[in-house]
Amino acid sequence: PKVLGLFGRGWKASAHLEFLAAQYAFDQIKVFSPNQEHCREFCRSMSEKLGREVRAVATPKEAVDGSDFVQAATAAWDPVFDGHWVAKGMYVASIGGSDASNKRREIDDETIRRADVYFVHSKEVARNDQSPDVWEAAQKGIVRWEDIGELQDLVAGKLPGRTSADQITLFN
């Protein structure tokens, strides 16, 4: 990936950005957070820490448009971008964080519907927690339960990842 679109500006976003920047030589890093003042400060701090430009953008759409990798790392209760903006070939990741009593979600139904490849940490945990992005999406028919893969099976080579550069990949 050459362009990262990051949602969030707190400790979760900071940790994800540090890790991702160490793994990939992004040409561009764009960050959106609703509080623009805090977002600009986060970008200044991360630019200094990473030794490369991290740029605040004014809208969620700007963060998604042209990105190869979209990472949501927020404490949001509602989806942070519109899945209609997701382009072919994008990798979308969400830190999730819901449980049965806390129905947070960063990813909307459209992103889930459009994903060609969908992986999660654990389907069992998603079912037990009644995760809106995983379990509830399957219950509503947005994605088939059997089409959701687990990370351990991908890493072990039991399931394929993307088989085409045009596929949209979702990890939650």
Side-chain angles (χ1 to χ4, degrees):
K2 296 297 181 194
V3 180
L4 173 65
L6 175 67
F7 287 85
R9 51 107 189 130
W11 69 269
K12 296 172 186 179
S14 176
H16 279 76
L17 180 52
E18 285 184 59
F19 174 79
L20 293 171
Q23 303 304 308
Y24 304 106
F26 293 111
D27 293 336
Q28 188 178 17
I29 299 170
K30 305 178 290 183
V31 181
F32 175 78
S33 182
N35 184 319
Q36 285 290 288
E37 182 181 334
H38 290 160
C39 187
R40 285 189 298 274
E41 179 54 39
F42 172 83
C43 289
R44 277 192 294 276
S45 171
M46 292 307 293
S47 292
E48 186 176 302
K49 187 171 200 170
L50 299 174
R52 64 171 91 168
E53 182 185 14
V54 177
R55 182 173 58 91
V57 294
T59 67
K61 190 163 187 350
E62 285 180 85
V64 174
D65 283 352
S67 293
D68 305 302
F69 192 127
V70 175
Q71 173 69 60
T74 75
W77 284 89
D78 298 308
V80 295
F81 63 88
D82 186 330
H84 291 95
W85 304 336
V86 174
K88 290 184 179 199
M90 279 186 181
Y91 176 88
V92 179
S94 168
I95 63 169
S98 289
D99 62 33
S101 66
N102 171 0
K103 297 298 184 178
R104 290 186 338 99
R105 53 185 314 200
E106 295 176 313
I107 303 299
D108 68 354
D109 289 345
E110 186 62 22
T111 301
I112 297 166
R113 185 177 293 110
R114 296 190 58 223
D116 298 298
V117 180
Y118 190 7
F119 280 91
V120 297
H121 286 286
S122 166
K123 288 170 69 171
E124 180 180 349
V125 170
R127 182 181 316 129
N128 290 341
D129 289 345
Q130 298 177 355
S131 166
D133 295 340
V134 185
W135 174 250
E136 287 181 14
Q139 295 303 299
K140 291 192 273 184
I142 295 164
V143 63
R144 293 177 348 140
W145 184 250
E146 56 272 15
D147 290 338
I148 301 170
E150 292 183 299
L151 182 60
Q152 66 203 21
D153 293 331
L154 176 66
V155 173
K158 294 178 182 178
L159 291 175
R162 266 190 350 175
T163 57
S164 162
D166 285 346
Q167 289 183 307
I168 296 170
T169 306
L170 176 59
F171 177 70
N172 193 339

